[in-house]
């Protein structure tokens, strides 16, 4: 994508070859700032604090974290500790484990003195593979929007939840990739953007992305989706995923399930866009996916910009109230109309996924 007219990724190696640069997403939409990650600890902190977030981007950042560790100490013990530290940052998105597995595989049998160079190359490949996958998701998903436009003759009304745009990946995004592509090809699209409490990734990130790209959109409170669907104001729900099981259960940002339930009631197609890195072939039942429980402070406090232009955080709860903050939920496969992957579209089922990834059937899981 372009930010202020300049081609921009969410993560890139620094010019001096000693670090990676990221966009600090905790400061958007008010401040566009980058951060330099020079150590494994920096990479782990950026993921944990959600300066980088979104399943694919978490994975690529972790891959670069292994490279940063290898620059310091590329011994077996140091790399094993780095893997454990990165795996512990966020539990739900399986892309993290897959990226770390890919790095371990790339470094297997490589002499310690050559590991840093190999790690940097493999992390770069993973970043490029993510871009290619997301671009392909766009190609396979855009026809969904184009067909809806052809049917109605008016702007396609898409509802999305959280941020599954380019900020959640290295570029393009997953759920937003078909929207960007359809928009760029001339299909009129309007996006209902769920604000996505408590961290407001929809209001802060998806709205910012869509604005930068010139895609018409409207931010709505998370609770508005059912009403909009009931009134026939949503043609399609399109969301991303943090982990999709082998039978097509979809884990995504908390609140996704409610949108799927409303979509089923009002017969609105509910599609999920994801690259292969998000599929957990070792799990069938989405109930087995670990759901991240985040700090209650995310509900207690709201951050934003004051009318005077300063950034501020305020408390919104009575001090004595208990708070629970599960960050993800699982939408069972039967509520999902279809999956959009880099290899094409399929039913949210074991058969559907295996039709696109037949090599998984041969491997057993
Ligand atoms: O907690 P986050 O912001 O990392 O959650 C992100 C999401 O839930 C996205 O929808 C998901 O990672 C898919 S993004 C391509």
């Amino acid at each position: 994508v372009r930010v202020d007219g300049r081609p921009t990724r969410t993560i890139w190696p620094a010019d001096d070859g000693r670090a990676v640069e990221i966009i600090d997403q905790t400061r958007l939409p008010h401040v566009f700032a980058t951060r330099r990650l020079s150590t494994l600890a920096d990479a782990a902190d950026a993921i944990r604090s959600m300066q980088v977030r979104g399943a694919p981007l978490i994975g690529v950042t972790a891959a670069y974290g292994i490279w940063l560790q290898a620059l310091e100490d590329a011994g077996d013990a140091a790399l094993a500790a780095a893997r454990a530290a990165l795996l512990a940052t966020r539990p739900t998105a399986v892309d993290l484990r897959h990226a770390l597995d890919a790095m371990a595989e790339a470094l297997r049998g490589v002499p310690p003195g050559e590991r840093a160079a190999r790690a940097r190359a493999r992390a770069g490949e993973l970043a490029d593979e993510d871009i290619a996958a997301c671009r392909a998701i766009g190609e396979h998903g855009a026809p969904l929007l184009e067909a809806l436009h052809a049917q109605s003759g008016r702007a396609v009304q898409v509802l999305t939840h959280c941020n599954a745009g380019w900020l959640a990946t290295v570029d393009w995004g997953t759920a937003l990739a078909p929207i960007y592509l359809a928009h760029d090809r001339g299909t009129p699209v309007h996006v209902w953007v769920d604000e996505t409490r408590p961290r407001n990734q929809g209001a802060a990130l998806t709205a910012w992305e869509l604005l930068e790209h010139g895609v018409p959109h409207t931010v709505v409170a998370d609770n508005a989706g059912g009403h909009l669907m009931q009134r026939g104001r949503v043609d399609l729900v399109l969301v991303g995923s943090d982990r999709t099981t082998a039978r097509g259960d979809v884990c995504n940002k908390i609140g996704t399930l409610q949108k799927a339930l409303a979509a089923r009631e009002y017969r609105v197609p509910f599609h999920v866009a994801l690259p292969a890195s998000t599929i957990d072939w070792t799990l069938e039942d989405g109930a087995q996916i670990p759901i991240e429980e985040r700090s209650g402070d995310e509900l207690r406090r709201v951050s934003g910009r004051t009318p005077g232009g300063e950034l501020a955080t305020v408390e919104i709860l009575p001090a004595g109230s208990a708070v629970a903050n599960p960050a993800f939920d699982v939408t069972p496969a039967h509520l999902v109309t279809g999956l959009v992957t880099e290899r094409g579209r399929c039913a949210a089922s074991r058969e559907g996924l295996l039709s696109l990834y037949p090599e998984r059937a041969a491997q057993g899981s």
Side-chain angles (χ1 to χ4, degrees), residues 7 12 44 60 127 131 149 152 191 205 222 225 245 287 304-305 322 336:
W12 61 96
V60 172
I131 294 173
H149 172 60
S152 71
V191 185
L205 305 178
D222 289 322
T245 70
R305 192 162 60 185
V336 177

Side-chain angles (χ1 to χ4, degrees), residues 25 47 50 52-58 90 93 95 130 134 161-169 173-175 196 199 201 205 239-243 251-254 256 273-275 278 292 294 327-328:
Q25 300 190 21
I47 298 171
M50 294 179 65
V52 290
R53 28 67 52 203
L57 180 57
I58 290 170
R90 296 198 68 194
D95 307 55
D130 179 62
C134 288
H161 192 70
C162 195
N163 172 262
W166 70 270
L167 287 169
T169 63
T174 55
T196 317
R199 288 192 67 103
Q201 289 96 325
L205 305 178
V239 297
S241 172
D242 289 86
R243 193 185 299 219
C251 184
N252 192 49
K253 180 55 55 191
I254 193 80
T256 303
L274 64 140
T278 301
E292 179 176 13
R294 293 189 60 85
F328 298 94

Side-chain angles (χ1 to χ4, degrees), residues 309-324:
E310 282 147 32
L311 299 184
T313 299
V314 296
E315 305 268 344
I316 59 168
L317 260 63
S321 294
V323 165

